[in-house]
Amino acid sequence: MKRVIHWFRRDLRLTDNAALYAARSAAAQVIPVFCLDDHILSRPDVGAPRVWFLLESLREIEGRIAARNGRLVVLRGKPEEEIPRFAREAKVEAVFFNRDYEPYARRRDETVSARLEESGIQARCFSDLLLAEPESVLTADARPYSVFTPFFRAWISLPKQEPLPEVQDFGGPFPAAGGGVPDSFDIGFTLPSDFDPSAWKPGEDAARRRLDAFVETCAAAYDRQRDLPAVDGTSRLSPYLKFGNISIRQVYQKTAAFAKFVSELAWREFYFHVLWHWPEVEHSAWQPQKRHLQWDDDPERLEAWKKGMTGYPIVDAGMRQLLTEGWMHNRVRMVVASFLTKDLHINWQEGERHFMLRLVDGDLAPNNGGWQWAAGTGVDPRPIRIFNPWLQSRRYDPEGAYIRRWVTELSAVPPERIHEPHLMAADEQRRYGCIIGRDYPAPIVDHHVERQVAMERYRAVRQDAQPSLF
Ligand SMILES: Cc1cc2nc3c(=O)[nH]c(=O)nc-3n(C[C@H](O)[C@H](O)[C@H](O)COP(=O)(O)OP(=O)(O)OC[C@H]3O[C@@H](n4cnc5c(N)ncnc54)[C@H](O)[C@@H]3O)c2cc1C
């Protein structure tokens, strides 16, 4: 072929990009295109930190493409209209892109493909985002797995592909078309004042460096350290995987020896498969009976949770890390999600939305999966999981180092008091410079009471449910 388009979406890299590599192998010239999708940008759960990460990644890849005899074309509008229109104008023979599994993306890609074919332009779709496709991990009677352990056994036994080489030459820049990469502000997104972008360096180079650093320094201790939020013991690759600054095959190739880490990659795949097979989870509980759970409408408590002002230090530390870094440690994500749903009795979808608004790695499949797991409404059904925030805090942040980093009001409080500072006597509060109710809130609810309420509500929708307490 003479000229084709590679349509970038969540695959913002030049190395091991299945569709891009195939495009370059098939054609003399590849026009790299990104379409700022009005539908996605106007969704109420799309937040400025994530858009910032996207635009910075685009800026980086724009430079890399320019250095490789190409030019990134940035379109803006509805991809169903913009991609076929530009493909016709540029007189390309085919549009290459990587498969996406989200319900909206599936509909969009079907429409774009149909419109391209109507114009005599091929639509070529490739597997890229996952190590195994949803159709390849099925039970003996060809059904999708809804429990993780058997899914994992089937998934791990499948052969995994090696990464493809980097695309070195786009075959010549296409004459100016579309705009450049805009600033967040220009497309209606203002970074929240409490978000600190210096926590991240978006882009393919930074992603590779992060992977290398993780493999060299942390991977061997991952299974011991991954649950300790005060330790930099996880990879922090999630935003890079979200935007495809690095491929899952590159990550797997370097980490295959670390079994616990690989099982976390499998959770990611599991949730993508769940979303593919049961797209309705985007809007409702996977377990039908859990759609009838009773939730409270309590804007004040929801706001306290969002701001990190619940009086539960481990919860508040996590929520403040989220606001500042656009990221939260996985153990703490589980704790704050349990707290919202089991202690405040607020619908998991409120938490899911807030996470999407503030996370740089906000990603429908793992976010929805994580929230439904924590709320006990999703796949992998178990007895009700009720986390005791004080016990979680003592177990996973025993010295209180994580709490102290994010809840600075408690910075002088010693380890034996920091998990339940409201139990400090008046003289202790004075000694440690933290008056409860003035400098830091008293707990907004009593976990022992709310745990009972949660049990009753869960039992009401599922008579046989036995609670399991962590
Ligand atoms: C309530 C809740 C919401 C979540 N929302 C998101 C989200 O929006 N986006 C997101 O990428 N992850 C989400 N997760 C999963 C997990 O918390 C993050 O992937 C992880 O904390 C990212 O940090 P890391 O890259 O250092 O992870 P590591 O521990 O280094 O793991 C490596 C990679 O494995 C994957 N992974 C790890 N743990 C999980 C998991 N439990 N489920 C699915 N994939 C996993 C991620 O891609 C991660 O980057 C959520 C979890 C919960 C409990």
Side-chain angles (χ1 to χ4, degrees):
M1 284 189 264
K2 234 169 99 187
R3 182 187 294 153
V4 300
I5 284 174
H6 172 71
W7 177 17
F8 278 111
R9 295 105 66 87
R10 51 172 305 168
D11 54 341
L12 303 179
R13 65 180 182 282
L14 304 187
T15 302
D16 190 33
N17 183 323
L20 176 62
Y21 185 79
R24 189 62 188 103
S25 308
Q29 186 187 20
V30 178
I31 310 175
V33 173
F34 187 88
C35 182
L36 288 161
D37 183 337
D38 277 347
H39 173 83
I40 295 180
L41 293 176
S42 62
R43 281 174 61 138
D45 65 350
V46 172
R50 195 150 42 104
V51 171
W52 168 81
F53 201 98
L54 163 72
L55 296 178
E56 291 305 310
S57 300
L58 279 175
R59 235 180 289 289
E60 196 235 25
I61 205 168
E62 186 180 40
R64 294 168 67 80
I65 291 169
R68 286 164 182 75
N69 197 22
R71 181 175 169 277
L72 178 68
V73 173
V74 180
L75 306 174
R76 168 94 200 254
K78 293 184 182 149
E80 307 89 287
E81 291 165 9
E82 288 300 305
I83 296 293
R85 179 192 61 73
F86 181 70
R88 283 192 301 272
E89 270 174 33
K91 297 190 172 43
V92 299
E93 289 157 81
V95 175
F96 288 64
F97 55 90
N98 289 313
R99 185 180 183 189
D100 198 327
Y101 305 84
E102 295 187 4
Y104 162 71
R106 289 166 71 169
R107 291 194 299 275
R108 176 197 63 197
D109 292 351
E110 273 171 26
T111 310
V112 170
S113 300
R115 291 191 180 167
L116 288 170
E117 306 280 350
E118 279 165 19
S119 305
I121 300 168
Q122 291 177 39
R124 307 269 311 265
C125 181
F126 292 78
S127 302
D128 181 76
L129 183 66
L130 303 174
L131 287 164
E133 292 305 301
E135 297 80 8
S136 64
V137 191
L138 298 172
T139 62
D141 53 354
R143 282 186 303 168
Y145 287 98
S146 57
V147 177
F148 178 73
T149 307
F151 168 88
F152 179 74
R153 275 198 294 269
W155 177 87
I156 196 76
S157 68
L158 293 173
K160 310 286 185 294
Q161 281 183 357
E162 293 290 309
L164 295 162
E166 179 175 349
V167 165
Q168 300 286 355
D169 185 344
F170 282 77
F174 188 72
V181 180
D183 284 328
S184 314
F185 187 71
D186 296 336
I187 54 169
F189 289 87
T190 308
L191 279 183
S193 55
D194 46 4
F195 172 66
D196 176 9
S198 71
W200 298 100
K201 177 106 186 72
E204 190 170 356
D205 265 346
R208 228 181 330 222
R209 281 200 302 276
R210 191 172 282 272
L211 173 62
D212 289 343
F214 172 70
V215 171
E216 273 164 36
T217 59
C218 305
Y222 180 77
D223 46 358
R224 277 177 284 121
Q225 297 192 334
R226 59 181 284 272
D227 269 322
L228 307 175
V231 177
D232 201 8
T234 68
S235 70
R236 286 190 181 235
L237 282 169
S238 47
Y240 300 105
L241 284 167
K242 156 69 193 166
F243 290 106
N245 302 122
I246 199 153
S247 81
I248 193 66
R249 291 168 297 279
Q250 290 171 290
V251 175
Y252 181 77
Q253 187 189 43
K254 295 211 168 167
T255 57
F258 307 108
K260 188 66 201 161
F261 186 80
V262 169
S263 81
E264 295 306 316
L265 299 181
W267 272 104
R268 172 179 177 272
E269 305 247 330
F270 181 50
Y271 287 141
F272 273 101
H273 289 205
V274 168
L275 184 62
W276 174 263
H277 292 297
W278 293 283
E280 64 273 19
V281 295
E282 183 181 11
H283 298 298
S284 58
W286 181 83
Q287 298 173 42
Q289 72 275 23
K290 298 284 171 61
R291 294 175 194 157
H292 307 293
L293 266 168
Q294 184 195 338
W295 301 111
D296 287 352
D297 178 21
D298 194 330
E300 216 170 289
R301 285 184 178 168
L302 177 60
E303 205 48 31
W305 178 81
K306 286 182 182 174
K307 288 198 169 124
M309 292 294 282
T310 66
Y312 283 78
I314 189 74
V315 173
D316 294 340
M319 297 309 293
R320 295 184 196 187
Q321 179 179 30
L322 173 65
L323 298 181
T324 306
E325 289 194 350
W327 186 88
M328 195 194 299
H329 189 277
N330 180 61
R331 167 59 48 185
V332 192
R333 291 189 203 207
M334 294 194 286
V335 172
V336 304
S338 176
F339 187 80
L340 184 76
T341 52
K342 314 287 170 47
D343 288 270
L344 302 185
H345 318 295
I346 291 176
N347 193 326
W348 58 272
Q349 289 166 312
E350 292 283 357
E352 183 192 27
R353 196 171 314 125
H354 181 64
F355 268 34
M356 288 302 269
L357 275 173
R358 298 304 302 243
L359 282 170
V360 286
D361 67 20
D363 197 350
L364 174 58
N367 193 44
N368 180 276
W371 274 99
Q372 295 228 31
W373 182 93
T377 61
V379 287
D380 209 35
R382 296 277 166 89
I384 316 164
R385 299 177 181 97
I386 301 183
F387 279 35
N388 178 325
W390 296 310
L391 288 184
Q392 291 283 316
S393 189
R394 285 205 169 81
R395 191 174 300 161
Y396 297 110
D397 188 28
E399 298 300 314
Y402 176 74
I403 292 173
R404 244 174 251 117
R405 188 185 310 158
W406 294 106
V407 186
T408 49
E409 306 92 294
L410 300 174
S411 56
V413 178
E416 62 277 14
R417 283 305 200 197
I418 200 159
H419 307 286
E420 293 182 75
H422 61 284
L423 297 182
M424 289 192 292
D427 65 319
E428 286 179 299
Q429 296 185 25
R430 277 194 299 277
R431 193 175 330 136
Y432 302 130
C434 180
I435 307 297
I436 299 300
R438 186 191 75 186
D439 303 319
Y440 182 69
I444 58 169
V445 291
D446 179 347
H447 173 69
H448 299 302
V449 174
E450 304 309 333
R451 189 182 61 187
Q452 296 301 330
V453 176
M455 283 186 204
E456 279 158 28
R457 291 190 185 188
Y458 277 78
R459 281 201 185 108
V461 294
R462 187 159 180 250
Q463 291 304 326
D464 59 334
Q466 290 302 315
S468 86
L469 308 174
F470 295 86

